[in-house]
Amino acid sequence: SKYAQAFEAAQKVADLDPSLAGKAYMLMGTIWGSIVCSGNEIEQRAKYWVAVDYMTKAKNADETLAEDANNLIRQYAAYYPQTAEAFMYDVTDGQSYTVSCGGMRAVTTVRTQK
């Protein structure tokens, strides 16, 4: 997919140029936040956990991105599933979860609405 190709390109930038890693991670998070995933409520929303992982990496790598990254984290967090909803699908807060979507794959952490 185009998303997967863009993601791979951003990953190369992050690996090759540490000074651009933050921006690359931000792009990677945005790509995850943008793809449409099929499946049940959890499978459709799990991409937001991955997106937040990358936004966190972005601001850790480049503190000038913190404000933008935090704004996106807030937007993505609004789509986290409710605790009861997650429970119905047998996933709980803090559990490891593998997301496959749009030709991409990531291991992330389950997060529910606080």
Side-chain angles (χ1 to χ4, degrees):
S1 79
K2 285 194 177 81
Y3 287 114
Q5 289 169 332
F7 184 86
E8 283 168 26
Q11 179 70 66
K12 284 189 184 120
V13 170
D15 293 343
L16 293 172
D17 189 343
S19 71
L20 293 176
K23 287 192 173 85
Y25 291 141
M26 197 145 190
L27 175 60
M28 292 155 84
T30 307
I31 291 167
W32 269 101
S34 303
I35 55 176
V36 176
C37 304
S38 57
N40 66 36
E41 279 296 301
I42 302 302
E43 289 160 345
Q44 289 175 33
R45 294 170 182 230
K47 66 176 191 170
Y48 294 113
W49 302 329
V50 182
V52 168
D53 292 342
Y54 280 105
M55 290 304 157
T56 302
K57 283 176 87 160
K59 64 181 184 172
N60 289 343
D62 183 348
E63 61 195 22
T64 66
L65 300 174
E67 190 178 345
D68 289 340
N70 286 333
N71 285 337
L72 285 163
I73 287 170
R74 271 193 295 279
Q75 285 176 38
Y76 295 146
Y79 296 104
Y80 290 173
Q82 301 292 335
T83 305
E85 194 173 42
F87 181 77
M88 280 170 37
Y89 290 102
D90 205 30
V91 293
T92 51
D93 222 32
Q95 171 187 338
S96 181
Y97 188 93
T98 302
V99 187
S100 293
C101 182
M104 302 186 301
R105 189 178 162 87
V107 177
T108 186
T109 305
V110 173
R111 302 174 187 88
T112 53
Q113 294 278 355
K114 292 287 178 271

mmCIF file of all heavy atoms in Angstrom, residues 66-113:
data_model
loop_
_atom_site.group_PDB
_atom_site.id
_atom_site.type_symbol
_atom_site.label_atom_id
_atom_site.label_comp_id
_atom_site.label_asym_id
_atom_site.label_seq_id
_atom_site.Cartn_x
_atom_site.Cartn_y
_atom_site.Cartn_z
ATOM 1 N N ALA A 66 7.139 18.600 20.613
ATOM 2 C CA ALA A 66 6.284 18.165 21.736
ATOM 3 C C ALA A 66 4.865 18.715 21.665
ATOM 4 O O ALA A 66 3.897 17.977 21.852
ATOM 5 C CB ALA A 66 6.932 18.535 23.071
ATOM 6 N N GLU A 67 4.725 20.001 21.370
ATOM 7 C CA GLU A 67 3.389 20.599 21.363
ATOM 8 C C GLU A 67 2.507 19.964 20.289
ATOM 9 O O GLU A 67 1.377 19.553 20.557
ATOM 10 C CB GLU A 67 3.494 22.112 21.142
ATOM 11 C CG GLU A 67 2.169 22.825 21.373
ATOM 12 C CD GLU A 67 2.275 24.336 21.197
ATOM 13 O OE1 GLU A 67 3.405 24.872 21.182
ATOM 14 O OE2 GLU A 67 1.206 24.965 21.068
ATOM 15 N N ASP A 68 3.043 19.865 19.066
ATOM 16 C CA ASP A 68 2.281 19.243 17.974
ATOM 17 C C ASP A 68 1.986 17.781 18.282
ATOM 18 O O ASP A 68 0.873 17.297 18.044
ATOM 19 C CB ASP A 68 3.050 19.340 16.648
ATOM 20 C CG ASP A 68 3.088 20.775 16.114
ATOM 21 O OD1 ASP A 68 2.234 21.587 16.524
ATOM 22 O OD2 ASP A 68 3.973 21.065 15.300
ATOM 23 N N ALA A 69 2.989 17.067 18.788
ATOM 24 C CA ALA A 69 2.811 15.647 19.106
ATOM 25 C C ALA A 69 1.735 15.473 20.181
ATOM 26 O O ALA A 69 0.865 14.609 20.059
ATOM 27 C CB ALA A 69 4.132 15.030 19.561
ATOM 28 N N ASN A 70 1.774 16.314 21.210
ATOM 29 C CA ASN A 70 0.784 16.214 22.289
ATOM 30 C C ASN A 70 -0.627 16.496 21.788
ATOM 31 O O ASN A 70 -1.587 15.859 22.223
ATOM 32 C CB ASN A 70 1.142 17.144 23.444
ATOM 33 C CG ASN A 70 2.312 16.623 24.259
ATOM 34 O OD1 ASN A 70 2.544 15.417 24.305
ATOM 35 N ND2 ASN A 70 3.054 17.507 24.886
ATOM 36 N N ASN A 71 -0.761 17.451 20.861
ATOM 37 C CA ASN A 71 -2.080 17.743 20.284
ATOM 38 C C ASN A 71 -2.622 16.526 19.541
ATOM 39 O O ASN A 71 -3.802 16.179 19.670
ATOM 40 C CB ASN A 71 -2.001 18.936 19.322
ATOM 41 C CG ASN A 71 -1.878 20.251 20.078
ATOM 42 O OD1 ASN A 71 -2.266 20.353 21.237
ATOM 43 N ND2 ASN A 71 -1.336 21.247 19.416
ATOM 44 N N LEU A 72 -1.748 15.875 18.771
ATOM 45 C CA LEU A 72 -2.175 14.684 18.029
ATOM 46 C C LEU A 72 -2.475 13.526 18.980
ATOM 47 O O LEU A 72 -3.433 12.779 18.771
ATOM 48 C CB LEU A 72 -1.118 14.295 16.998
ATOM 49 C CG LEU A 72 -1.123 15.225 15.772
ATOM 50 C CD1 LEU A 72 0.177 15.093 14.986
ATOM 51 C CD2 LEU A 72 -2.312 14.926 14.875
ATOM 52 N N ILE A 73 -1.677 13.388 20.031
ATOM 53 C CA ILE A 73 -1.921 12.334 21.023
ATOM 54 C C ILE A 73 -3.326 12.510 21.616
ATOM 55 O O ILE A 73 -4.080 11.547 21.750
ATOM 56 C CB ILE A 73 -0.839 12.331 22.133
ATOM 57 C CG1 ILE A 73 0.474 11.777 21.558
ATOM 58 C CG2 ILE A 73 -1.295 11.521 23.355
ATOM 59 C CD1 ILE A 73 1.681 11.946 22.476
ATOM 60 N N ARG A 74 -3.677 13.758 21.944
ATOM 61 C CA ARG A 74 -5.022 14.028 22.492
ATOM 62 C C ARG A 74 -6.106 13.644 21.483
ATOM 63 O O ARG A 74 -7.116 13.043 21.847
ATOM 64 C CB ARG A 74 -5.167 15.502 22.875
ATOM 65 C CG ARG A 74 -4.724 15.796 24.297
ATOM 66 C CD ARG A 74 -5.164 17.176 24.751
ATOM 67 N NE ARG A 74 -4.531 18.246 23.988
ATOM 68 C CZ ARG A 74 -3.304 18.708 24.225
ATOM 69 N NH1 ARG A 74 -2.578 18.206 25.212
ATOM 70 N NH2 ARG A 74 -2.793 19.685 23.494
ATOM 71 N N GLN A 75 -5.891 13.995 20.212
ATOM 72 C CA GLN A 75 -6.880 13.656 19.171
ATOM 73 C C GLN A 75 -7.034 12.145 19.050
ATOM 74 O O GLN A 75 -8.148 11.638 18.984
ATOM 75 C CB GLN A 75 -6.438 14.224 17.816
ATOM 76 C CG GLN A 75 -6.623 15.723 17.689
ATOM 77 C CD GLN A 75 -6.084 16.233 16.351
ATOM 78 O OE1 GLN A 75 -6.233 15.566 15.328
ATOM 79 N NE2 GLN A 75 -5.466 17.388 16.362
ATOM 80 N N TYR A 76 -5.913 11.441 18.998
ATOM 81 C CA TYR A 76 -5.957 9.986 18.830
ATOM 82 C C TYR A 76 -6.558 9.302 20.051
ATOM 83 O O TYR A 76 -7.301 8.328 19.931
ATOM 84 C CB TYR A 76 -4.559 9.422 18.553
ATOM 85 C CG TYR A 76 -3.953 9.882 17.241
ATOM 86 C CD1 TYR A 76 -2.580 10.085 17.134
ATOM 87 C CD2 TYR A 76 -4.730 10.107 16.114
ATOM 88 C CE1 TYR A 76 -2.002 10.501 15.935
ATOM 89 C CE2 TYR A 76 -4.157 10.527 14.915
ATOM 90 C CZ TYR A 76 -2.805 10.722 14.833
ATOM 91 O OH TYR A 76 -2.240 11.131 13.663
ATOM 92 N N ALA A 77 -6.245 9.804 21.247
ATOM 93 C CA ALA A 77 -6.725 9.194 22.487
ATOM 94 C C ALA A 77 -8.252 9.236 22.579
ATOM 95 O O ALA A 77 -8.869 8.390 23.228
ATOM 96 C CB ALA A 77 -6.089 9.863 23.700
ATOM 97 N N ALA A 78 -8.853 10.206 21.899
ATOM 98 C CA ALA A 78 -10.320 10.313 21.898
ATOM 99 C C ALA A 78 -10.965 9.096 21.248
ATOM 100 O O ALA A 78 -12.142 8.813 21.476
ATOM 101 C CB ALA A 78 -10.740 11.589 21.170
ATOM 102 N N TYR A 79 -10.184 8.369 20.432
ATOM 103 C CA TYR A 79 -10.715 7.188 19.734
ATOM 104 C C TYR A 79 -10.402 5.874 20.451
ATOM 105 O O TYR A 79 -10.753 4.814 19.950
ATOM 106 C CB TYR A 79 -10.157 7.125 18.308
ATOM 107 C CG TYR A 79 -10.605 8.286 17.457
ATOM 108 C CD1 TYR A 79 -9.743 9.332 17.178
ATOM 109 C CD2 TYR A 79 -11.900 8.329 16.945
ATOM 110 C CE1 TYR A 79 -10.156 10.407 16.393
ATOM 111 C CE2 TYR A 79 -12.322 9.394 16.160
ATOM 112 C CZ TYR A 79 -11.441 10.428 15.889
ATOM 113 O OH TYR A 79 -11.843 11.490 15.123
ATOM 114 N N TYR A 80 -9.727 5.943 21.597
ATOM 115 C CA TYR A 80 -9.465 4.713 22.343
ATOM 116 C C TYR A 80 -10.804 4.071 22.696
ATOM 117 O O TYR A 80 -11.780 4.774 22.984
ATOM 118 C CB TYR A 80 -8.716 5.000 23.652
ATOM 119 C CG TYR A 80 -7.282 5.437 23.521
ATOM 120 C CD1 TYR A 80 -6.586 5.848 24.656
ATOM 121 C CD2 TYR A 80 -6.611 5.447 22.309
ATOM 122 C CE1 TYR A 80 -5.266 6.245 24.579
ATOM 123 C CE2 TYR A 80 -5.288 5.850 22.224
ATOM 124 C CZ TYR A 80 -4.616 6.254 23.364
ATOM 125 O OH TYR A 80 -3.312 6.663 23.290
ATOM 126 N N PRO A 81 -10.856 2.744 22.733
ATOM 127 C CA PRO A 81 -12.115 2.092 23.118
ATOM 128 C C PRO A 81 -12.421 2.300 24.599
ATOM 129 O O PRO A 81 -11.522 2.577 25.394
ATOM 130 C CB PRO A 81 -11.858 0.614 22.821
ATOM 131 C CG PRO A 81 -10.380 0.460 22.832
ATOM 132 C CD PRO A 81 -9.801 1.776 22.420
ATOM 133 N N GLN A 82 -13.695 2.175 24.938
ATOM 134 C CA GLN A 82 -14.094 2.200 26.344
ATOM 135 C C GLN A 82 -13.581 0.923 27.005
ATOM 136 O O GLN A 82 -13.445 -0.109 26.340
ATOM 137 C CB GLN A 82 -15.625 2.247 26.461
ATOM 138 C CG GLN A 82 -16.279 3.435 25.793
ATOM 139 C CD GLN A 82 -15.956 4.748 26.483
ATOM 140 O OE1 GLN A 82 -15.645 4.787 27.671
ATOM 141 N NE2 GLN A 82 -16.013 5.827 25.730
ATOM 142 N N THR A 83 -13.344 0.976 28.306
ATOM 143 C CA THR A 83 -12.853 -0.185 29.045
ATOM 144 C C THR A 83 -13.795 -1.380 28.888
ATOM 145 O O THR A 83 -13.358 -2.504 28.636
ATOM 146 C CB THR A 83 -12.677 0.154 30.539
ATOM 147 O OG1 THR A 83 -11.822 1.290 30.631
ATOM 148 C CG2 THR A 83 -12.051 -0.992 31.305
ATOM 149 N N ALA A 84 -15.101 -1.132 28.997
ATOM 150 C CA ALA A 84 -16.096 -2.215 28.905
ATOM 151 C C ALA A 84 -16.082 -2.838 27.508
ATOM 152 O O ALA A 84 -16.218 -4.053 27.351
ATOM 153 C CB ALA A 84 -17.486 -1.677 29.223
ATOM 154 N N GLU A 85 -15.898 -1.983 26.504
ATOM 155 C CA GLU A 85 -15.847 -2.436 25.117
ATOM 156 C C GLU A 85 -14.626 -3.344 24.912
ATOM 157 O O GLU A 85 -14.727 -4.419 24.333
ATOM 158 C CB GLU A 85 -15.717 -1.181 24.253
ATOM 159 C CG GLU A 85 -15.969 -1.343 22.801
ATOM 160 C CD GLU A 85 -15.960 0.022 22.113
ATOM 161 O OE1 GLU A 85 -15.096 0.881 22.408
ATOM 162 O OE2 GLU A 85 -16.827 0.211 21.270
ATOM 163 N N ALA A 86 -13.490 -2.900 25.406
ATOM 164 C CA ALA A 86 -12.264 -3.692 25.306
ATOM 165 C C ALA A 86 -12.455 -5.035 26.002
ATOM 166 O O ALA A 86 -12.089 -6.088 25.470
ATOM 167 C CB ALA A 86 -11.091 -2.928 25.924
ATOM 168 N N PHE A 87 -13.062 -4.990 27.176
ATOM 169 C CA PHE A 87 -13.307 -6.203 27.954
ATOM 170 C C PHE A 87 -14.139 -7.204 27.157
ATOM 171 O O PHE A 87 -13.867 -8.399 27.172
ATOM 172 C CB PHE A 87 -14.023 -5.840 29.268
ATOM 173 C CG PHE A 87 -14.307 -7.010 30.154
ATOM 174 C CD1 PHE A 87 -13.295 -7.575 30.923
ATOM 175 C CD2 PHE A 87 -15.579 -7.570 30.222
ATOM 176 C CE1 PHE A 87 -13.550 -8.672 31.743
ATOM 177 C CE2 PHE A 87 -15.843 -8.661 31.032
ATOM 178 C CZ PHE A 87 -14.823 -9.206 31.800
ATOM 179 N N MET A 88 -15.147 -6.702 26.423
ATOM 180 C CA MET A 88 -15.990 -7.579 25.600
ATOM 181 C C MET A 88 -15.174 -8.312 24.536
ATOM 182 O O MET A 88 -15.519 -9.414 24.132
ATOM 183 C CB MET A 88 -17.099 -6.776 24.913
ATOM 184 C CG MET A 88 -18.272 -6.494 25.834
ATOM 185 S SD MET A 88 -19.483 -5.315 25.147
ATOM 186 C CE MET A 88 -19.531 -5.721 23.412
ATOM 187 N N TYR A 89 -14.105 -7.680 24.080
ATOM 188 C CA TYR A 89 -13.241 -8.298 23.063
ATOM 189 C C TYR A 89 -12.009 -8.960 23.688
ATOM 190 O O TYR A 89 -11.058 -9.289 23.006
ATOM 191 C CB TYR A 89 -12.828 -7.265 22.014
ATOM 192 C CG TYR A 89 -13.983 -6.850 21.138
ATOM 193 C CD1 TYR A 89 -14.631 -5.643 21.340
ATOM 194 C CD2 TYR A 89 -14.429 -7.682 20.114
ATOM 195 C CE1 TYR A 89 -15.697 -5.266 20.526
ATOM 196 C CE2 TYR A 89 -15.495 -7.313 19.301
ATOM 197 C CZ TYR A 89 -16.121 -6.102 19.512
ATOM 198 O OH TYR A 89 -17.173 -5.742 18.708
ATOM 199 N N ASP A 90 -12.053 -9.091 25.023
ATOM 200 C CA ASP A 90 -11.010 -9.808 25.745
ATOM 201 C C ASP A 90 -9.637 -9.128 25.667
ATOM 202 O O ASP A 90 -8.613 -9.807 25.574
ATOM 203 C CB ASP A 90 -10.933 -11.261 25.233
ATOM 204 C CG ASP A 90 -10.353 -12.190 26.282
ATOM 205 O OD1 ASP A 90 -10.552 -11.912 27.486
ATOM 206 O OD2 ASP A 90 -9.692 -13.172 25.916
ATOM 207 N N VAL A 91 -9.622 -7.792 25.643
ATOM 208 C CA VAL A 91 -8.350 -7.074 25.761
ATOM 209 C C VAL A 91 -8.446 -6.133 26.952
ATOM 210 O O VAL A 91 -9.505 -5.590 27.245
ATOM 211 C CB VAL A 91 -7.957 -6.283 24.479
ATOM 212 C CG1 VAL A 91 -7.648 -7.234 23.332
ATOM 213 C CG2 VAL A 91 -9.014 -5.283 24.085
ATOM 214 N N THR A 92 -7.317 -5.971 27.647
ATOM 215 C CA THR A 92 -7.304 -5.112 28.829
ATOM 216 C C THR A 92 -6.165 -4.112 28.740
ATOM 217 O O THR A 92 -5.134 -4.350 28.106
ATOM 218 C CB THR A 92 -7.146 -5.926 30.130
ATOM 219 O OG1 THR A 92 -6.012 -6.796 29.971
ATOM 220 C CG2 THR A 92 -8.366 -6.763 30.422
ATOM 221 N N ASP A 93 -6.370 -2.987 29.390
ATOM 222 C CA ASP A 93 -5.399 -1.907 29.457
ATOM 223 C C ASP A 93 -4.002 -2.426 29.812
ATOM 224 O O ASP A 93 -3.863 -3.206 30.745
ATOM 225 C CB ASP A 93 -5.871 -0.925 30.550
ATOM 226 C CG ASP A 93 -5.699 0.506 30.133
ATOM 227 O OD1 ASP A 93 -5.821 0.798 28.933
ATOM 228 O OD2 ASP A 93 -5.440 1.333 31.021
ATOM 229 N N GLY A 94 -3.009 -2.000 29.058
ATOM 230 C CA GLY A 94 -1.629 -2.366 29.370
ATOM 231 C C GLY A 94 -1.152 -3.646 28.720
ATOM 232 O O GLY A 94 0.043 -3.955 28.730
ATOM 233 N N GLN A 95 -2.074 -4.408 28.145
ATOM 234 C CA GLN A 95 -1.733 -5.672 27.499
ATOM 235 C C GLN A 95 -1.035 -5.397 26.162
ATOM 236 O O GLN A 95 -1.292 -4.402 25.504
ATOM 237 C CB GLN A 95 -3.055 -6.419 27.298
ATOM 238 C CG GLN A 95 -3.029 -7.660 26.465
ATOM 239 C CD GLN A 95 -4.465 -8.165 26.236
ATOM 240 O OE1 GLN A 95 -5.387 -7.861 26.983
ATOM 241 N NE2 GLN A 95 -4.647 -8.928 25.188
ATOM 242 N N SER A 96 -0.136 -6.284 25.757
ATOM 243 C CA SER A 96 0.525 -6.180 24.453
ATOM 244 C C SER A 96 -0.467 -6.580 23.365
ATOM 245 O O SER A 96 -1.287 -7.478 23.565
ATOM 246 C CB SER A 96 1.750 -7.093 24.424
ATOM 247 O OG SER A 96 2.402 -6.979 23.190
ATOM 248 N N TYR A 97 -0.401 -5.901 22.221
ATOM 249 C CA TYR A 97 -1.366 -6.139 21.155
ATOM 250 C C TYR A 97 -0.667 -5.938 19.813
ATOM 251 O O TYR A 97 0.044 -4.943 19.629
ATOM 252 C CB TYR A 97 -2.533 -5.152 21.301
ATOM 253 C CG TYR A 97 -3.700 -5.424 20.379
ATOM 254 C CD1 TYR A 97 -4.773 -6.199 20.794
ATOM 255 C CD2 TYR A 97 -3.721 -4.885 19.096
ATOM 256 C CE1 TYR A 97 -5.851 -6.451 19.947
ATOM 257 C CE2 TYR A 97 -4.797 -5.131 18.245
ATOM 258 C CZ TYR A 97 -5.858 -5.911 18.680
ATOM 259 O OH TYR A 97 -6.911 -6.152 17.840
ATOM 260 N N THR A 98 -0.852 -6.860 18.894
ATOM 261 C CA THR A 98 -0.254 -6.737 17.564
ATOM 262 C C THR A 98 -1.298 -6.242 16.576
ATOM 263 O O THR A 98 -2.383 -6.808 16.480
ATOM 264 C CB THR A 98 0.325 -8.087 17.094
ATOM 265 O OG1 THR A 98 1.302 -8.515 18.053
ATOM 266 C CG2 THR A 98 0.995 -7.953 15.729
ATOM 267 N N VAL A 99 -0.959 -5.170 15.886
ATOM 268 C CA VAL A 99 -1.852 -4.560 14.913
ATOM 269 C C VAL A 99 -1.318 -4.842 13.511
ATOM 270 O O VAL A 99 -0.144 -4.591 13.238
ATOM 271 C CB VAL A 99 -1.913 -3.024 15.096
ATOM 272 C CG1 VAL A 99 -2.988 -2.419 14.193
ATOM 273 C CG2 VAL A 99 -2.146 -2.653 16.541
ATOM 274 N N SER A 100 -2.160 -5.362 12.632
ATOM 275 C CA SER A 100 -1.811 -5.535 11.218
ATOM 276 C C SER A 100 -2.851 -4.792 10.405
ATOM 277 O O SER A 100 -4.049 -5.061 10.536
ATOM 278 C CB SER A 100 -1.837 -7.010 10.825
ATOM 279 O OG SER A 100 -0.806 -7.699 11.484
ATOM 280 N N CYS A 101 -2.393 -3.853 9.587
ATOM 281 C CA CYS A 101 -3.332 -3.020 8.848
ATOM 282 C C CYS A 101 -2.598 -2.293 7.731
ATOM 283 O O CYS A 101 -1.470 -1.828 7.937
ATOM 284 C CB CYS A 101 -3.948 -2.022 9.830
ATOM 285 S SG CYS A 101 -5.173 -0.942 9.127
ATOM 286 N N GLY A 102 -3.214 -2.201 6.568
ATOM 287 C CA GLY A 102 -2.646 -1.423 5.471
ATOM 288 C C GLY A 102 -1.262 -1.887 5.044
ATOM 289 O O GLY A 102 -0.448 -1.074 4.615
ATOM 290 N N GLY A 103 -0.992 -3.178 5.194
ATOM 291 C CA GLY A 103 0.322 -3.697 4.823
ATOM 292 C C GLY A 103 1.392 -3.408 5.858
ATOM 293 O O GLY A 103 2.578 -3.622 5.623
ATOM 294 N N MET A 104 0.986 -2.913 7.021
ATOM 295 C CA MET A 104 1.934 -2.610 8.099
ATOM 296 C C MET A 104 1.582 -3.447 9.320
ATOM 297 O O MET A 104 0.469 -3.926 9.458
ATOM 298 C CB MET A 104 1.878 -1.124 8.444
ATOM 299 C CG MET A 104 2.180 -0.235 7.256
ATOM 300 S SD MET A 104 2.292 1.520 7.681
ATOM 301 C CE MET A 104 0.694 1.836 8.362
ATOM 302 N N ARG A 105 2.570 -3.588 10.189
ATOM 303 C CA ARG A 105 2.383 -4.395 11.389
ATOM 304 C C ARG A 105 3.149 -3.736 12.531
ATOM 305 O O ARG A 105 4.257 -3.238 12.336
ATOM 306 C CB ARG A 105 2.934 -5.787 11.090
ATOM 307 C CG ARG A 105 2.664 -6.827 12.114
ATOM 308 C CD ARG A 105 3.255 -8.152 11.598
ATOM 309 N NE ARG A 105 3.395 -9.084 12.683
ATOM 310 C CZ ARG A 105 2.424 -9.899 13.069
ATOM 311 N NH1 ARG A 105 1.276 -9.903 12.444
ATOM 312 N NH2 ARG A 105 2.614 -10.727 14.064
ATOM 313 N N ALA A 106 2.558 -3.716 13.707
ATOM 314 C CA ALA A 106 3.236 -3.131 14.868
ATOM 315 C C ALA A 106 2.756 -3.808 16.138
ATOM 316 O O ALA A 106 1.622 -4.275 16.211
ATOM 317 C CB ALA A 106 2.949 -1.635 14.949
ATOM 318 N N VAL A 107 3.638 -3.860 17.121
ATOM 319 C CA VAL A 107 3.259 -4.350 18.445
ATOM 320 C C VAL A 107 3.109 -3.118 19.326
ATOM 321 O O VAL A 107 3.988 -2.259 19.363
ATOM 322 C CB VAL A 107 4.320 -5.312 19.020
ATOM 323 C CG1 VAL A 107 3.924 -5.737 20.428
ATOM 324 C CG2 VAL A 107 4.471 -6.528 18.112
ATOM 325 N N THR A 108 1.978 -3.016 19.997
ATOM 326 C CA THR A 108 1.678 -1.834 20.794
ATOM 327 C C THR A 108 1.078 -2.251 22.131
ATOM 328 O O THR A 108 1.083 -3.432 22.477
ATOM 329 C CB THR A 108 0.729 -0.893 20.012
ATOM 330 O OG1 THR A 108 0.564 0.324 20.746
ATOM 331 C CG2 THR A 108 -0.622 -1.540 19.744
ATOM 332 N N THR A 109 0.573 -1.278 22.868
ATOM 333 C CA THR A 109 -0.024 -1.521 24.182
ATOM 334 C C THR A 109 -1.468 -1.082 24.152
ATOM 335 O O THR A 109 -1.783 0.015 23.680
ATOM 336 C CB THR A 109 0.732 -0.699 25.256
ATOM 337 O OG1 THR A 109 2.116 -1.023 25.173
ATOM 338 C CG2 THR A 109 0.224 -1.015 26.641
ATOM 339 N N VAL A 110 -2.358 -1.931 24.662
ATOM 340 C CA VAL A 110 -3.791 -1.605 24.746
ATOM 341 C C VAL A 110 -3.981 -0.416 25.682
ATOM 342 O O VAL A 110 -3.414 -0.371 26.772
ATOM 343 C CB VAL A 110 -4.607 -2.807 25.272
ATOM 344 C CG1 VAL A 110 -6.061 -2.425 25.530
ATOM 345 C CG2 VAL A 110 -4.504 -3.984 24.289
ATOM 346 N N ARG A 111 -4.766 0.570 25.224
ATOM 347 C CA ARG A 111 -5.128 1.708 26.080
ATOM 348 C C ARG A 111 -6.626 1.945 25.916
ATOM 349 O O ARG A 111 -7.143 1.883 24.807
ATOM 350 C CB ARG A 111 -4.370 2.972 25.645
ATOM 351 C CG ARG A 111 -2.857 2.833 25.673
ATOM 352 C CD ARG A 111 -2.237 4.094 25.072
ATOM 353 N NE ARG A 111 -0.811 4.018 24.896
ATOM 354 C CZ ARG A 111 -0.181 3.541 23.818
ATOM 355 N NH1 ARG A 111 -0.879 3.046 22.816
ATOM 356 N NH2 ARG A 111 1.116 3.542 23.733
ATOM 357 N N THR A 112 -7.289 2.205 27.029
ATOM 358 C CA THR A 112 -8.732 2.471 26.978
ATOM 359 C C THR A 112 -8.995 3.893 27.452
ATOM 360 O O THR A 112 -8.109 4.558 27.996
ATOM 361 C CB THR A 112 -9.503 1.460 27.857
ATOM 362 O OG1 THR A 112 -8.940 1.459 29.170
ATOM 363 C CG2 THR A 112 -9.425 0.059 27.273
ATOM 364 N N GLN A 113 -10.224 4.346 27.238
ATOM 365 C CA GLN A 113 -10.617 5.703 27.665
ATOM 366 C C GLN A 113 -10.450 5.829 29.165
ATOM 367 O O GLN A 113 -10.865 4.966 29.911
ATOM 368 C CB GLN A 113 -12.086 5.953 27.313
ATOM 369 C CG GLN A 113 -12.381 5.995 25.839
ATOM 370 C CD GLN A 113 -12.085 7.341 25.208
ATOM 371 O OE1 GLN A 113 -11.743 8.305 25.880
ATOM 372 N NE2 GLN A 113 -12.203 7.403 23.910
#
